[in-house]
Amino acid sequence: MADTGKPGHNSLTYKDAGVDIDAGEELVARIAPAARATRRSGSEGDLGGFGGLFDLKAAGFKDPLIVASTDGVGTKLKIAIDTGRFEGIGQDLVAMCVNDIVVQGAEPLFFLDYYATGKLDVDAAATVIEGIARACKESGCALIGGETAEMPGLYAKGDFDLAGFTVGAVERGAVLPRLREIAVGDVLIGVASSGVHSNGYSLVRRVVEQSGAAYEKPAPFAPELTLGEALLAPTRLYVKSALAAIHAGGVKGFAHITGGGITENLPRTFPDGLDAEVDLSSWSPLPVFGWLAKSAGIEQSEMLRTFNCGIGLIAVVSPDAAGHVIDAFQFAGEKAMRIGAVVAGDGESKVRYKGALKL
């Protein structure tokens, strides 16, 4: 029989196998304007190429080091999926990456995302990626590419996963932390978080389950919002404010307070032989943290090594510059305050707490 080029009645297509190429092309067309809006000096090309291009020279760097970070959103995604609220989850993804490189003194330059699902929901995916684009624009980095993967059989119906990475640059002499300069008496400046951010959500979800709370009901700690809305408050973007603090002078190091809390993250900024002394009474955590602690009887030490507890970023600053750095953060729209100091240690760096959290 001659080959007519027409599929027979038993012929399979990729769509029959669960992958809709047309839906993927529809998504690319829909998110293209949002991606174009993130263009900055150095970014080239449009979505759809095999790779994204970036020109470091055009971005104004002379002798740069490249800094990169990759991350995801973790099980916070489950709350977004269960509630159908995807507006802020893209910002969570970007923030977890760009905050990690700005604390090394780097300016984020570009971002790429990876969205994987069993069956592509164009509206949901577009909402997520448009959120990524908004966060990139706010952070001054270009969304130059990404990947959307439809993998039936690997993900349950309605589920998806989200990951991304950012690349930034810092001039060779401006890398943070400046370990040799950090000294006893330096000031610790805490910058407020916007909520739980994107860490500890396996415990958050367990607390919700055990407490009998419901995502669609008013939040016990913020009754003007549903519990789902309150728990999905997006991770704060610290790029512009941290760069402003650096330009104010006197910043010797930063710690981005993510998984592990202050307890595990702040010592990463210190050389051995120096400790951080943190006064827990120097700030008031948002009510969500008190609700989590009291609902499940979570001990203070466990709170401090799981959640940010109200402080999303900590700067290590010379004493004479502390006021200027706080002013720079405040002018950039952050709430910043002195929360402690650098003290002498006796070996590997650690955090010493005094006082108690205002939970």
Side-chain angles (χ1 to χ4, degrees):
M1 181 180 292
D3 184 356
T4 64
K6 297 179 180 179
H9 68 279
N10 290 325
S11 177
L12 284 174
T13 66
Y14 208 4
K15 190 171 184 178
D16 293 329
V19 179
D20 190 343
I21 295 174
D22 293 334
E25 291 177 347
E26 179 186 348
L27 176 61
V28 171
R30 181 162 164 181
I31 65 175
R36 281 196 296 270
T38 70
R39 282 181 175 170
R40 51 155 295 160
S41 57
S43 62
E44 303 288 345
D46 293 313
L47 291 184
F50 288 101
L53 302 176
F54 195 90
D55 185 344
L56 275 173
K57 186 175 181 181
F61 288 91
K62 296 182 174 70
D63 185 23
L65 294 173
I66 297 296
V67 184
S69 177
T70 185
D71 212 332
V73 180
T75 58
K76 187 175 186 177
L77 273 176
K78 286 296 294 178
I79 299 178
I81 292 166
D82 290 347
T83 61
R85 303 190 65 90
F86 306 118
E87 297 84 359
I89 211 76
Q91 178 169 323
D92 286 307
L93 179 66
V94 174
M96 293 302 290
C97 295
V98 297
N99 289 347
D100 269 357
I101 69 168
V102 78
V103 299
Q104 293 183 265
E107 175 188 345
L109 300 176
F110 60 85
F111 191 90
L112 291 94
D113 68 277
Y114 178 78
Y115 184 104
T117 185
K119 181 174 177 55
L120 183 61
D121 180 331
V122 173
D123 288 338
T127 299
V128 171
I129 298 170
E130 286 163 358
I132 290 171
R134 286 193 299 271
C136 284
K137 187 173 182 179
E138 185 175 336
S139 302
C141 66
L143 179 59
I144 65 171
E147 170 71 5
T148 302
E150 203 170 19
M151 295 184 281
L154 189 58
Y155 292 91
K157 183 179 179 180
D159 279 354
F160 66 91
D161 200 6
L162 193 60
F165 76 88
T166 191
V167 173
V170 55
E171 296 291 358
R172 193 172 299 272
V175 177
L176 297 176
R178 298 192 179 100
L179 293 178
R180 294 182 180 180
E181 297 180 20
I182 295 175
V184 171
D186 283 344
V187 175
L188 302 178
I189 295 172
V191 185
S193 67
S194 53
V196 185
H197 284 184
S198 298
N199 297 104
Y201 274 84
S202 293
L203 180 53
V204 170
R205 290 167 53 241
R206 181 65 67 85
V207 172
V208 171
E209 180 184 338
Q210 290 189 354
S211 70
Y215 293 129
E216 68 276 9
K217 297 293 180 64
F221 52 89
E224 71 279 8
L225 301 172
T226 66
L227 180 59
E229 289 172 330
L231 292 176
L232 287 171
T235 307
R236 197 150 182 85
L237 295 159
Y238 293 115
V239 172
K240 289 187 176 179
S241 59
L243 292 175
I246 291 170
H247 293 151
V251 173
K252 299 180 180 181
F254 285 118
H256 182 205
I257 308 305
T258 56
I262 295 174
T263 303
E264 301 294 336
N265 286 287
L266 187 51
R268 298 164 66 180
T269 305
F270 283 46
D272 288 345
L274 294 177
D275 290 346
E277 185 177 77
V278 173
D279 181 358
L280 295 174
S281 66
S282 60
W283 75 91
S284 296
L286 292 170
V288 61
F289 296 105
W291 177 76
L292 288 167
K294 293 168 186 173
S295 295
I298 305 173
E299 298 289 339
Q300 177 173 277
S301 60
E302 184 68 13
M303 290 291 296
L304 287 164
R305 67 189 298 267
T306 303
F307 302 114
N308 65 62
C309 292
I311 298 294
L313 185 76
I314 297 176
V316 183
V317 180
S318 58
D320 58 344
H324 297 301
V325 171
I326 289 175
D327 287 345
F329 275 120
Q330 303 277 31
F331 187 75
E334 307 289 1
K335 182 178 180 181
M337 70 292 292
R338 296 182 186 224
I339 64 169
V342 178
V343 297
D346 56 3
E348 187 175 348
S349 297
K350 60 185 180 296
V351 179
R352 307 181 198 173
Y353 294 112
K354 64 177 184 179
L357 287 168
K358 300 174 184 177
L359 297 174

